[in-house]
Amino acid sequence: IQLVLTSVTHYSIPEEMKEGSVVANLATDLRLDVKTLNERKIRLDIVANKKYLDVNKETGELYIMEKIDRELVCNTKSSASCFLRLEIILENPERIFNLDVEILDTNDNAPQFRRDVMYLDISESTPKAERFSLSHAVDPDVGSNSVKTYYLSESEYFNIEVQTARDGSKISELILLKQLDREQQAVHNLTLTAVDGGKPARSGTASVIVRVLDTNDNKPTFDKSLYNVKIMENSPIGSLVLHLNATDFDEGSNSDITYSYSLYTSEKTQETFHLNPTSGEITVMGMLNYEDFNIYDMEVIATDKGANSLSGQCTIKILVEDMNDNHPELSIKSFQSPVSEDIKLDTVIAVVSVSDKDSGENGIVDLHIPDDMPFKLRKSSDNYYELVVSEALDREKVPEYDITFTVTDRGSPPLSDNETMTLELLDVNDNVPQFPKSFYTIRVMENNAPGALLESLSAFDPDLHENQYLVYVIIEKEISNTSMSMLFSINPEDGKLHALKTFDYEIEKEFLFHIEARDSGSPPLSSNVSVHIIIVDQNDNAPVIVSPWRAHGSVVEEKIPRSTDKGSLVAKVIALDTDSVHNSRITYQFLQVTDATLFSLDQYNGEIRTMRMFSYRDPRHQRLVVVAKDNGEPALSATVTIKLSTEETAVKAYSDMTEVPLEYDIFSDLNLYLVIGLGSVSFLLLITILVTIVLKCQKAKPSKAAPPSRNSVISERNSTIADSTLVSNDAYWYSLFLAETRKGKLVVRQPVPKGSRYIVSSIPRGTGLTDTSDSAASTL
């Protein structure tokens, strides 16, 4: 194989060219035929280097395969030049071309310091213009792209000077411009910047921390030159008086401080107070007594532990304050108890004196009583107070007051003392008796037993003793010449109301009067209450059949035509009941009937009518027993027996055989009986009203003559009729007399007014209350 070597071809390219960038056309520069490059198998051989370049066999161009970093390819420290040695090899015929590709430097690296932080320790006593070496920066680039100069951040204490070393590198030195003071600034933070000469220029920085070393150039200093301290007497041993704090701006042993008394501090002060040499605390070491010694002066020295120790001093004045160790005292000079509840305002109740052995604020005292009391304190002279009445008193609301006098000084903390006195109030008759209700409605069932309890009408009086003892009386009021005290009585001590007589609803239905409750005070006070007595009806009166009229126990006989039509009125039963509306409501019904299909009875009006016409089978005589029953509980009743007889009636015949209806006779026997019955009832009612009016007109006004004794028999009359009854229609008469009906005796119930006249009648039973035809009357 014959190799033909050619001369070396030289190329220069900058580093960091992009991949694919064309360096040169080898076919042109080496005068090769581009068309034969592929056949001759042209290739690039690199000597001792990575393959950064290659040849395009189609065009013969030399191009970049991988980006070239000059600092990695070449050692810039040994040579400023950097070459890549290449060989171009062709076959048929074999030829080798030598290529030298020079890699030109670009400013692609910034200067870097070996240490990012540099520490310098400089004593604050170092003179100015002193120099200190700094670490230099390194830049991998060469030539003008390497480090050119240094810059230092602005500082009034430091500057730098840039110098060129023997190898051409740039170095810097730190120069002290003026003397340092650690107490003003202990650390200086500087920034050193290295700049290369590339375009554009690149730079790198490092921190320079200058630590100023201390020298003992500052003396200890107290916060104040003069301390004024107050302390209470009797402060316990060990109590802190003052914590001194001296400051030394030096550090280390130069700032360690010890405290001591100066020679100007008295021995008594040093014996009374202890000074801690390390902490500077001054504490109580002996007993403090304000009365013995109340001002202490001392001088304290603070010394540091530097080689050449420095010291400072201060003056302390301790003032011992009086302690509030005496309780205030109070004394009740006079106290008035008990007092009347109607005592006048501003009346003096008590006199109190106060005192305190302390002085100043500790000896000033104030006297107080509770705010919620009707009293106030009034200062009469130094340390003397009067307790006076400020509001009206009311024993019924508050019977007594526990008044607490509290005396308090103005010390800190304040001390106090107190004393309690009890003020009793005497009762005054200033409250009227009070009933629970202003109006009482009492319902009393008629036929009550005499002396029955009706109601307890007790009142309340909040006063005491005789002012609350109540007496109850009925306020007199006459009704139909009858005093209320004759009908009712009230227990004067407990207010229980009783009935003195038996009431009859049919005679008297209600009473309205007043009851008075009077206390025993002086003057007495009273109040009254209205009492409404309502008599409640009992079903104590049986119905009385007034129509058809018949003698006692007899049977009523009626005659009716046998040709009576259906629905014709046969008879009408009328009964009266003197009870109240509810008890006097009467219903009628058959008790016995011969033929229940022949007659009907209206249960409300008592009419008996035919239910059909008489037949020839019906008996001629019909017996009807009708019962009249009231609505009371239990119900009372009366019966009447009606004997009906039927009779034939003749009908006149006319020659022409024409039937002529019978003329209705309005004065038939049945109608005649009804007219007579109704007229009798009306007549009896009229006679009753007239007798009542006459009796009331004849009553005379009661006189003051002494009444006869109760229960004495004032009249006895033997009636010729064995079964008779003493009667009177006057309710007032019943309140005075008791008629013993079977014995014919008249007994006194109540005192009888002198000059009064009464008519007493004896009427046989069964003749009716108003039938006086067979009566015997006498005037009393």
Side-chain angles (χ1 to χ4, degrees):
I1 298 173
Q2 182 180 4
L3 298 176
V4 179
L5 301 176
T6 61
S7 59
V8 178
T9 302
H10 183 81
Y11 293 105
S12 297
I13 62 173
E15 64 176 331
E16 304 293 338
M17 288 184 66
K18 295 181 179 180
E19 296 178 0
S21 299
V22 177
V23 177
N25 195 317
L26 293 180
T28 302
D29 294 340
L30 299 180
R31 298 176 183 179
L32 298 175
D33 186 2
V34 176
K35 298 179 181 180
T36 62
L37 294 179
N38 198 18
E39 296 177 357
R40 298 183 65 180
K41 298 180 180 180
I42 186 171
R43 64 180 184 275
L44 182 65
D45 188 17
I46 298 176
V47 180
N49 276 299
K50 188 177 180 180
K51 190 174 182 180
Y52 292 101
L53 303 173
D54 200 358
V55 179
N56 189 331
K57 296 178 181 181
E58 300 295 332
T59 60
E61 292 177 343
L62 181 67
Y63 65 93
I64 303 296
M65 284 187 65
E66 185 177 345
K67 187 182 291 186
I68 302 172
D69 187 354
R70 180 180 179 280
E71 287 73 30
L72 294 177
V73 174
C74 302
N75 186 1
T76 56
K77 292 183 180 180
S78 59
S79 175
S81 300
C82 179
F83 291 94
L84 289 178
R85 306 294 179 178
L86 307 177
E87 290 182 349
I88 304 298
I89 302 175
L90 295 104
E91 298 180 357
N92 298 321
E94 295 285 341
R95 294 191 65 182
I96 298 176
F97 295 93
N98 293 322
L99 296 180
D100 284 343
V101 179
E102 183 179 7
I103 307 302
L104 300 178
D105 183 42
T106 60
N107 192 23
D108 57 346
N109 292 282
Q112 291 183 349
F113 289 91
R114 292 188 177 89
R115 292 181 297 174
D116 293 335
V117 180
M118 292 178 281
Y119 293 95
L120 292 177
D121 292 332
I122 303 176
S123 174
E124 63 177 331
S125 60
T126 301
K128 64 179 182 178
E130 189 75 17
R131 292 173 176 266
F132 304 91
S133 297
L134 299 175
S135 176
H136 65 279
V138 176
D139 194 332
D141 296 327
V142 296
S144 62
N145 293 330
S146 63
V147 177
K148 182 178 181 181
T149 186
Y150 292 92
Y151 296 100
L152 185 66
S153 59
E154 184 177 355
S155 173
E156 61 176 316
Y157 291 95
F158 298 98
N159 199 359
I160 60 170
E161 183 178 297
V162 181
Q163 297 180 357
T164 303
R166 294 180 181 180
D167 58 357
S169 61
K170 298 294 183 178
I171 60 175
S172 62
E173 288 183 339
L174 187 66
I175 302 175
L176 181 63
L177 297 180
K178 67 177 184 178
Q179 192 171 358
L180 300 175
D181 189 348
R182 191 202 63 80
E183 288 71 34
Q184 292 183 0
Q185 187 173 353
V187 177
H188 296 265
N189 293 310
L190 307 175
T191 301
L192 181 63
T193 303
V195 182
D196 61 19
K199 293 183 180 180
R202 292 177 176 268
S203 62
T205 61
S207 296
V208 179
I209 298 177
V210 178
R211 295 177 293 198
V212 182
L213 302 179
D214 182 52
T215 57
N216 193 20
D217 56 348
N218 292 281
K219 68 177 182 178
T221 304
F222 287 95
D223 298 335
K224 299 178 182 178
S225 60
L226 176 63
Y227 291 89
N228 291 313
V229 182
K230 295 180 180 180
I231 186 171
M232 297 298 300
E233 66 170 330
N234 301 327
S235 294
I237 304 298
S239 299
L240 179 64
V241 178
L242 178 64
H243 188 178
L244 292 174
N245 182 29
T247 304
D248 192 323
F249 294 105
D250 294 324
E251 65 178 2
S253 60
N254 297 330
S255 63
D256 293 339
I257 299 173
T258 58
Y259 301 89
S260 61
Y261 286 119
S262 70
L263 298 177
Y264 296 102
T265 303
S266 66
E267 293 184 1
K268 179 175 180 57
T269 301
Q270 297 184 34
E271 291 174 355
T272 306
F273 299 97
H274 174 261
L275 174 62
N276 189 313
T278 304
S279 63
E281 291 182 349
I282 299 176
T283 56
V284 177
M285 190 168 61
M287 292 299 298
L288 299 177
N289 194 325
Y290 175 84
E291 290 71 24
D292 294 342
F293 210 81
N294 53 27
I295 298 177
Y296 294 88
D297 292 316
M298 62 182 68
E299 190 175 83
V300 177
I301 299 174
T303 306
D304 63 26
K305 296 181 179 180
N308 297 317
S309 61
L310 301 176
S311 63
Q313 65 183 21
C314 69
T315 302
I316 302 171
K317 177 175 287 189
I318 298 177
L319 304 176
V320 179
E321 291 187 331
D322 182 31
M323 185 177 181
N324 189 22
D325 52 356
N326 292 287
H327 286 264
E329 298 177 354
L330 65 88
S331 176
I332 308 297
K333 298 302 181 181
S334 67
F335 187 79
Q336 182 181 355
S337 178
V339 296
S340 178
E341 64 174 320
D342 61 349
I343 188 171
K344 295 181 179 180
L345 299 181
D346 287 335
T347 302
V348 178
I349 301 297
V351 177
V352 183
S353 67
V354 294
S355 61
D356 195 316
K357 296 179 180 178
D358 291 321
S359 60
E361 290 291 323
N362 297 332
I364 300 176
V365 296
D366 299 303
L367 184 63
H368 304 280
I369 60 172
D371 295 333
D372 57 349
M373 288 192 171
F375 308 101
K376 66 179 180 180
L377 289 171
R378 183 172 60 195
K379 193 170 184 179
S380 59
S381 61
D382 290 342
N383 298 329
Y384 277 86
Y385 293 86
E386 293 177 344
L387 179 69
V388 297
V389 179
S390 61
E391 299 176 13
L393 305 181
D394 190 349
R395 190 209 61 80
E396 286 70 34
K397 293 182 178 179
V398 183
E400 64 180 19
Y401 292 91
D402 291 328
I403 306 174
T404 301
F405 297 92
T406 303
V407 59
T408 307
D409 62 24
R410 298 183 184 179
S412 180
L415 299 178
S416 63
D417 192 12
N418 62 75
E419 186 171 346
T420 301
M421 304 295 291
T422 300
L423 176 65
E424 298 180 2
L425 300 184
L426 297 177
D427 184 50
V428 175
N429 191 24
D430 56 350
N431 291 279
V432 298
Q434 297 290 332
F435 284 94
K437 296 187 292 186
S438 61
F439 191 88
Y440 284 86
T441 300
I442 305 172
R443 296 182 178 271
V444 180
M445 190 68 67
E446 67 171 332
N447 301 321
N448 60 290
L453 175 64
L454 303 183
E455 185 74 29
S456 180
L457 306 175
S458 59
F460 171 73
D461 193 324
D463 291 324
L464 285 180
H465 308 306
E466 66 275 1
N467 295 331
Q468 71 171 176
Y469 296 151
L470 303 181
V471 177
Y472 301 90
V473 295
I474 298 176
I475 299 178
E476 289 297 337
K477 178 181 179 182
E478 291 189 0
I479 299 178
S480 299
N481 293 331
T482 301
S483 173
M484 288 296 104
S485 60
M486 300 177 66
L487 302 177
F488 305 96
S489 69
I490 188 167
N491 190 316
E493 295 182 356
D494 57 15
K496 291 183 178 180
L497 182 66
H498 297 267
L500 294 179
K501 59 169 287 186
T502 301
F503 297 107
D504 189 349
Y505 173 81
E506 287 72 32
I507 299 176
E508 50 222 352
K509 293 180 174 55
E510 63 179 357
F511 301 95
L512 181 63
F513 55 94
H514 295 84
I515 291 178
E516 180 184 82
R518 183 185 300 110
D519 61 26
S520 302
S522 179
L525 300 177
S526 64
S527 64
N528 58 67
V529 64
S530 299
V531 179
H532 185 201
I533 304 293
I534 299 177
I535 308 301
V536 181
D537 182 47
Q538 278 187 336
N539 192 25
D540 57 348
N541 292 282
V544 177
I545 296 176
V546 298
S547 178
W549 185 90
R550 88 278 186 211
H552 181 71
S554 62
V555 178
V556 177
E557 294 185 0
E558 297 285 352
K559 293 181 180 182
I560 60 173
R562 195 170 182 82
S563 60
T564 301
D565 293 332
K566 177 184 177 181
S568 298
L569 180 65
V570 175
K572 184 171 184 178
V573 179
I574 300 175
L576 298 178
D577 193 323
T578 57
D579 288 324
S580 63
V581 176
H582 177 75
N583 293 327
S584 64
R585 189 177 303 150
I586 298 174
T587 57
Y588 304 89
Q589 62 185 16
F590 282 128
L591 189 61
Q592 292 179 7
V593 61
T594 304
D595 188 349
T597 65
L598 188 55
F599 302 101
S600 66
L601 174 62
D602 190 306
Q603 63 174 342
Y604 297 111
N605 58 24
E607 293 180 349
I608 302 174
R609 294 181 181 271
T610 58
M611 296 175 62
R612 60 179 175 80
M613 294 186 67
F614 287 94
S615 66
Y616 69 92
R617 294 187 182 89
D618 293 327
R620 293 180 58 83
H621 299 286
Q622 300 285 334
R623 187 173 184 271
L624 306 178
V625 180
V626 179
V627 60
K629 186 184 297 184
D630 62 20
N631 197 39
E633 184 65 35
L636 302 178
S637 63
T639 61
V640 62
T641 302
I642 303 173
K643 184 178 180 180
L644 294 178
S645 300
T646 59
E647 58 183 12
E648 299 291 341
T649 58
V651 180
K652 294 182 180 180
Y654 292 91
S655 60
D656 56 359
M657 299 302 288
T658 304
E659 290 185 2
V660 179
L662 295 175
E663 183 180 358
Y664 181 71
D665 186 5
I666 62 174
F667 292 103
S668 64
D669 293 340
L670 179 60
N671 291 342
L672 183 59
Y673 293 149
L674 293 175
V675 171
I676 293 173
L678 292 175
S680 300
V681 171
S682 301
F683 179 73
L684 291 175
L685 180 60
L686 179 60
I687 291 299
T688 302
I689 294 174
L690 292 176
V691 170
T692 301
I693 294 175
V694 170
L695 290 177
K696 288 188 176 181
C697 292
Q698 289 181 352
K699 290 181 181 179
K701 184 176 180 181
S703 63
K704 297 183 179 179
S709 61
R710 296 187 180 183
N711 299 329
S712 63
V713 177
I714 63 172
S715 176
E716 180 174 353
R717 181 175 181 270
N718 295 324
S719 175
T720 59
I721 301 174
D723 190 6
S724 61
T725 304
L726 294 175
V727 297
S728 175
N729 292 329
D730 191 356
Y732 179 54
W733 188 91
Y734 274 113
S735 67
L736 297 178
F737 305 104
L738 171 64
E740 297 185 2
T741 59
R742 297 200 177 269
K743 295 181 180 180
K745 292 183 179 181
L746 190 64
V747 182
V748 174
R749 291 177 180 266
Q750 300 288 338
V752 181
K754 182 179 180 181
S756 301
R757 291 174 60 85
Y758 304 96
I759 298 176
V760 182
S761 299
S762 175
I763 302 173
R765 292 188 181 274
T767 60
L769 295 177
T770 60
D771 185 5
T772 61
S773 60
D774 294 331
S775 65
S778 63
T779 301
L780 172 65

